[in-house]
C-alpha cells in the first residue's frame, strides 16, 4: 500500500488531471479576446436604469475568471448587464487553476474586487453569481468582511454551502493519519470545503444568511462533486432554493455543465438578478 503522503499526492494529481480534461486552458491572449469580444470586464461600463447593479462572477475550484464564464457572461452582457469576473485563491506556481488557496483569504480578494467594481461603475451595490466554491465563498465576505453593505443578491450555482463528501472520498481521510493536515497544507481551498471543516463550521454557525441580502441556490440532483447536492441549500429569510430538474425534468446537467453552459440555469440566474421581470424557467428556456 502506498504511504499516505504518496496517496494524497496521487489524489491531487488526479484532481488536477480531471480539471485539465474538463476546463479549457486560458492563455493571456485568450482571456483578453474572450472578455473584450463578449463585453465583460469592460471597466467603462456604466449600469443602466434597467440593471442598476453590476454583476460580479465568482468562479469555482480549479476555475478562473474566463473559462468558467464563457457561457454565462455573454448571456448577461447581451441582456444589458455590466459584468465583471475575478481570479482568486491562486497558489504559487499553479497557473490557470485557481480557487485553491484558503477560502477566508479568497473572500478578502473578492472584497477588494467588489470595491473596485463599485468605485469604477459608481453603483451602490453589486450582485454576485458564483459557481461551486464561488457560490459559497462569498458568504464569508457577506458575513465577516462587511459585504452585506455592498451586495444586493448572491446567486449560487451548485454551491457547496455545507461542504461535500466528494461521494464519500473525503470520509477516507481519517483512516490515513496526517492526510488531512497534508491536504490542508497543499490545497487549503479543497480542505476548507470538506463537510465538517473548521472553515465551514465557522461560516454556518449562527445561521446561513445575513440580513439585507437575497439568496438564490440553483442545484442539480446529478451533481457528482457537491455530494449530497442538498448540502448546497440555505435556510433563512430571503432564500430561494431551486432544483434544476424541477424546472426541466429532462435536464441532465451535472456539476460542471450547470455552470458552464446550461441555459435553463442561465435563465434562472437572470430571474434571480431581476425578480421583478422574472419569467418561468422551463425546458424551453434553452432557446431564450
Amino acid at each position: 500500500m502506498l504511504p499516505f503522503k504518496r496517496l494524497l499526492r496521487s489524489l491531487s494529481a488526479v484532481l488536477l488531471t480531471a480539471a485539465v480534461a474538463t476546463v479549457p486552458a486560458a492563455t493571456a491572449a485568450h482571456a483578453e479576446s474572450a472578455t473584450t469580444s463578449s463585453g465583460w470586464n469592460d471597466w467603462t461600463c456604466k449600469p443602466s436604469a434597467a440593471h442598476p447593479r453590476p454583476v460580479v462572477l465568482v468562479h469555482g475550484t480549479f476555475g478562473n475568471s474566463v473559462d468558467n464564464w464563457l457561457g454565462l457572461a455573454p448571456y448577461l452582457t447581451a441582456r444589458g448587464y455590466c459584468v465583471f469576473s475575478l481570479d482568486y485563491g491562486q497558489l504559487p506556481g499553479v497557473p490557470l487553476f485557481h480557487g485553491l488557496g484558503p477560502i477566508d483569504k479568497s473572500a478578502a480578494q473578492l472584497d477588494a474586487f467588489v470595491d473596485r467594481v463599485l468605485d469604477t461603475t459608481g453603483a451602490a451595490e453589486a450582485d454576485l453569481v458564483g459557481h461551486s466554491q464561488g457560490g459559497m465563498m462569498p458568504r464569508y465576505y457577506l458575513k465577516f468582511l462587511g459585504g452585506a453593505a455592498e451586495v444586493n443578491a448572491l446567486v449560487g450555482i451548485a454551491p457547496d454551502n455545507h461542504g461535500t463528501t466528494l461521494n464519500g472520498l473525503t470520509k477516507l481521510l481519517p483512516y490515513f493519519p496526517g492526510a488531512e493536515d497534508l491536504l490542508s497544507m497543499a490545497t487549503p481551498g479543497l480542505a476548507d470545503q470538506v463537510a465538517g471543516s473548521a472553515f465551514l463550521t465557522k461560516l454556518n454557525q449562527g445561521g446561513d444568511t445575513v440580513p439585507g441580502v437575497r439568496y438564490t441556490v440553483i442545484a442539480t440532483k446529478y451533481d457528482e462533486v457537491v455530494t449530497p447536492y442538498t448540502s448546497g441549500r440555505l435556510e433563512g429569510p430571503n432564500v430561494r432554493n431551486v432544483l434544476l430538474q424541477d424546472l426541466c425534468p429532462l435536464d441532465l446537467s451535472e456539476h460542471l455543465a450547470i455552470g458552464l453552459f446550461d441555459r435553463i440555469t442561465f435563465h434562472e440566474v437572470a430571474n434571480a438578478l431581476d425578480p421583478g421581470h422574472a419569467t418561468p424557467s422551463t425546458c424551453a428556456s434553452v432557446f431564450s
Side-chain angles (χ1 to χ4, degrees):
M1 178 180 294
L2 288 172
F4 70 89
K5 288 188 179 180
R6 290 178 61 193
L7 177 65
L8 263 293
R9 290 193 186 103
S10 298
L11 174 59
S12 295
V14 168
L15 291 171
L16 283 168
T17 300
V20 171
T22 55
V23 181
T27 64
H30 166 53
E32 184 177 353
S33 64
T35 57
T36 302
S37 64
S38 300
W40 92 90
N41 279 340
D42 174 5
W43 295 94
T44 67
C45 187
K46 299 298 180 184
S48 65
H51 302 303
R53 293 176 299 275
V55 177
V56 174
L57 303 179
V58 191
H59 65 74
T61 308
F62 291 117
N64 60 61
S65 61
V66 176
D67 293 324
N68 214 139
W69 306 119
L70 292 174
L72 181 58
Y75 184 95
L76 293 177
T77 58
R79 284 154 180 77
Y81 289 91
C82 291
V83 179
F84 302 88
S85 61
L86 77 156
D87 288 305
Y88 70 87
Q90 302 93 327
L91 290 182
V94 182
L96 306 181
F97 303 109
H98 304 316
L100 300 175
I103 298 182
D104 58 344
K105 302 297 189 298
S106 295
Q109 291 179 277
L110 174 61
D111 184 8
F113 188 82
V114 172
D115 286 345
R116 180 188 174 196
V117 168
L118 295 181
D119 288 345
T120 302
T121 61
E125 291 182 310
D127 289 327
L128 308 180
V129 179
H131 179 213
S132 192
Q133 180 190 161
M136 173 270 288
M137 176 270 279
R139 293 179 48 229
Y140 190 94
Y141 157 56
L142 297 178
K143 194 169 188 178
F144 299 110
L145 302 180
E150 301 175 327
V151 173
N152 169 71
L154 169 61
V155 184
I157 303 171
D160 52 348
N161 284 311
H162 297 277
T164 176
T165 65
L166 293 176
N167 273 328
L169 182 61
T170 58
K171 292 181 180 179
L172 296 174
L173 291 176
Y175 294 95
F176 297 90
E180 252 180 304
D181 292 338
L182 180 65
L183 184 59
S184 296
M185 289 185 292
T187 51
L190 291 179
D192 285 346
Q193 295 176 78
V194 175
S197 71
F199 173 83
L200 287 170
T201 299
K202 177 181 178 179
L203 177 63
N204 293 312
Q205 191 170 20
D208 293 344
T209 64
V210 296
V213 179
R214 291 188 294 105
Y215 296 82
T216 302
V217 172
I218 306 171
T220 172
K221 68 179 182 181
Y222 299 113
D223 200 319
E224 78 287 16
V225 174
V226 177
T227 54
Y229 73 85
T230 52
S231 71
R233 291 176 179 169
L234 294 174
E235 300 294 334
N238 295 323
V239 171
R240 182 167 182 257
N241 293 299
V242 180
L243 182 62
L244 183 58
Q245 285 71 36
D246 287 342
L247 305 177
C248 177
L250 301 177
D251 196 320
L252 304 179
S253 290
E254 41 64 71
H255 186 77
L256 286 176
I258 191 176
L260 295 181
F261 53 76
D262 189 285
R263 290 182 69 89
I264 299 170
T265 298
F266 295 175
H267 187 269
E268 195 61 19
V269 168
N271 282 345
L273 294 175
D274 189 8
H277 297 90
T279 58
S281 297
T282 68
C283 294
S285 298
V286 297
F287 304 110
S288 65

